[in-house]
Amino acid sequence: MEAEMAEVGTAYVLKNILTTRQTGPPILPKGEYGTGFNPDMPDTLPSWLTEDDLAYFVSKFEKTGFTGGLNYYRNLNM
């Protein structure tokens, strides 16, 4: 998953997660959307998320990556 996230870029990943999320843990099944990302991402950000907010989150995740968060969900017994 980390390789697929790196391929599309941090900004795309965060925008996709934040604008197409449903309640519950993130589920990015390979194949359901083709790449694991929801293709129905809106062109505009929701009112509660500004471009500055998104840029801030992108800058932080570009430093730390997504592995820690993904490993949390990988270790859940569901």
Side-chain angles (χ1 to χ4, degrees):
M1 191 71 223
E2 288 91 332
E4 291 181 27
M5 289 177 159
E7 188 175 314
V8 297
T10 304
Y12 178 88
V13 172
L14 288 174
K15 185 176 179 186
N16 193 272
I17 291 171
L18 293 171
T19 62
T20 63
R21 283 274 290 129
Q22 297 179 7
T23 58
I27 299 172
L28 302 171
K30 188 171 181 78
E32 183 174 333
Y33 298 116
T35 62
F37 301 103
N38 188 335
D40 298 325
M41 184 169 60
D43 292 330
T44 58
L45 296 176
S47 61
W48 54 266
L49 181 65
T50 67
E51 288 290 342
D52 288 341
D53 292 335
L54 183 60
Y56 173 81
F57 296 131
V58 168
S59 73
K60 297 304 178 187
F61 275 92
E62 283 180 340
K63 290 178 184 176
T64 62
F66 293 95
T67 302
L70 291 172
N71 285 343
Y72 173 83
Y73 288 103
R74 286 179 178 136
N75 286 299
L76 293 176
N77 291 323
M78 299 176 108

